Structures are given as C-alpha cells and as structure tokens.
Amino acid sequence: MRKLFLSIFLPILLCLIGERGMGQADPDTYLADIKAELNRKWPDNRTVNLVFHGHSVPAGYANTPYVHRPQAYPFLTFIKLQRHYPYSVANAITTAIGGENSIQGEKRFKSEVLPHKPDVLFIDYALNDRRIGLEKTKEATEKMIRMALRKHIKVILITPSPDLKVDITAVGNILEQYTNQLIVLAEKYHIGLVNSYTAFADLAKSGKDLHSYMAQYNHPNEKGHEVIANEIMKWFE
C-alpha cells in the first residue's frame, strides 16, 4: 500500500510543491539563456524579442492625449539593453493599449501577443485593474501567464507605477494590494517580478516628490519611466 501511495501521489505532491512553493524566479538565473543569447556575436546570434503588454504606461502615454514612446520604459529598456549587450540584436515590441485592463489584454493575447514569439514577456496592467477588482484581474492575469508558459516564454510581471491620487506611503493602499497580488502570482508560477511600486514608494518615503517623476497624475514622465527601466535591467545584468 505504501508503495502504491508513493507511486501515485508523490509525483502529484511534488508537482504541487514545485508550482506553489518555489517562490519568485531568481533574477540572477531566470534569464540566463536569454542573456547568453544576447552575448552571442554574429553570425551565431539571433533576434531576441522583448514584448511589453499592458496599458497606457508601457504604451508611452504622457500628458493625455500626447504619446512619447521614445521616453517610455520599453524603449528606454531597449537602449539600456543595447548598451549592456553591444553584440545583441533585440526587439522591444509594445502591444500595450491605453485605457486597457488585464481582462481586455487577455482576450487579445493569443492573436496579438503570441504571434510576436516573445523571448521575454512583460505584463503591466495593475494600474488599470483597480477598476475591475482583484479576483477577476487575477484570473485574467493567470490565463496570460499560463498561455505564455505553455510556449516556454519567460514572463515578468510589473507592479503598478504611481497614481498621485493614491498615497503610496499608506499601508494597505489600493496599489499595494495589486502589488501583493502580483507578488503571489510570481511566486506561484516561479516567474519574474519587476517591483515598480516599491521603487516609487521608496522614493516617496525618502522624501522625494513624486510629482517630479510624473507627466500627469497617472502617467510617468521620462524620469519616472527611467525608474521602471532600471528595475527591469536588474533582470539582464
């Protein structure tokens, strides 16, 4: 009976522990194969696709309706990546749409994101997901994660950047709640997390005026996008 139990239930138990108990991916190792690819020289290298999926912030909206994509974090990350990996051929592809939430993003994920064949996928919806609620947006985000992982895509979740109408230093504020949900998902699926929220909260707690990082109350300016890009680059260094 004991052998029967071990043969049937132990693999299931180990699988559950592996899915739920491993914690977030390690920034030092999670993208090791991608970093190796970025270091290859011609003619042995290939194009590496970074895809940024989300709402108006990665789309590059500044003071609405103005769009400044060269100042947004996908492009800033691309520039930093090129400097760090001078032999690389990388694409920074933005599939973000202003005003969108994770439920809308999940509906077009298969048709508009996966065809780009991402090597690394960044998902940034939490700022807008506040309008819908934690439960529904968790479900939509998990669907996108699972679809990506089935394609062996490296996934990195991005926590919300500031909304100046929210006191980012207050314990339990709405942005912190969505940040915590993304932390749990990163731990569950053993994927990456870029904690923009904590980076900005730390700035605020140190006495920095977050207005100087914002183009309008909910869209970062180039200085704010630089904060996010620097957090992203920690996964590539």
Side-chain angles (χ1 to χ4, degrees):
M1 180 63 74
R2 185 170 181 271
K3 289 183 178 180
L4 180 63
F5 175 85
L6 291 174
S7 64
I8 296 176
F9 293 105
L10 185 58
I12 297 173
L13 180 62
L14 291 174
C15 181
L16 290 173
I17 292 173
E19 180 184 16
R20 298 176 183 274
M22 294 174 69
Q24 292 178 28
D26 184 350
D28 292 332
T29 58
Y30 186 53
L31 300 184
D33 56 336
I34 305 298
K35 291 188 282 188
E37 195 64 51
L38 291 168
N39 267 319
R40 294 185 192 277
K41 299 178 183 179
W42 181 89
D44 298 319
N45 57 354
R46 67 169 178 85
T47 301
V48 173
N49 290 329
L50 311 183
V51 176
F52 297 85
H53 193 48
H55 48 48
S56 54
V57 175
Y61 281 83
N63 193 345
T64 307
Y66 294 101
V67 180
H68 297 155
R69 297 191 72 160
Q71 298 175 7
Y73 73 75
F75 188 81
L76 296 179
T77 299
F78 169 76
I79 296 297
K80 291 175 183 292
L81 203 68
Q82 199 68 51
R83 290 171 180 164
H84 195 79
Y85 297 96
Y87 310 119
S88 66
V89 180
N91 287 330
I93 302 165
T94 304
T95 58
I97 294 179
E100 193 172 73
N101 56 58
S102 61
I103 293 176
Q104 295 166 315
E106 184 272 323
K107 288 179 180 177
R108 62 187 183 87
F109 191 83
K110 189 177 294 185
S111 62
E112 297 186 27
V113 177
L114 293 182
H116 289 294
K117 297 183 178 181
D119 290 283
V120 186
L121 170 68
F122 298 89
I123 300 177
D124 183 359
Y125 275 112
L127 198 64
N128 285 1
D129 278 352
R130 295 173 294 164
R131 306 168 188 165
I132 299 168
L134 288 164
E135 185 176 346
K136 291 181 179 179
T137 56
K138 176 177 179 289
E139 181 181 353
T141 303
E142 283 198 270
K143 287 181 180 178
M144 290 187 281
I145 293 169
R146 289 171 180 162
M147 281 190 280
L149 293 180
R150 282 197 292 269
K151 298 289 185 180
H152 307 290
I153 297 166
K154 301 291 187 180
V155 180
I156 298 181
L157 305 178
I158 299 183
T159 64
S161 49
D163 180 331
L164 295 178
K165 295 180 180 180
V166 177
D167 181 0
I168 201 170
T169 65
V171 176
N173 71 75
I174 189 66
L175 296 178
E176 186 179 82
Q177 293 175 40
Y178 279 86
T179 294
N180 290 338
Q181 178 163 276
L182 294 176
I183 290 171
V184 170
L185 289 176
E187 291 173 348
K188 176 178 179 179
Y189 291 98
H190 194 52
I191 57 177
L193 183 90
V194 167
N195 205 332
S196 303
Y197 170 83
T198 296
F200 283 104
D202 288 345
L203 288 170
K205 291 172 184 176
S206 71
K208 301 290 185 182
D209 183 359
L210 292 188
H211 286 82
S212 66
Y213 295 86
M214 306 298 288
Q216 64 178 38
Y217 75 93
N218 62 341
H219 291 158
N221 57 21
E222 185 172 6
K223 183 179 177 181
H225 279 284
E226 188 80 19
V227 172
I228 304 172
N230 287 337
E231 292 298 312
I232 291 173
M233 282 303 298
K234 291 177 180 179
W235 289 87
F236 291 95
E237 293 170 347

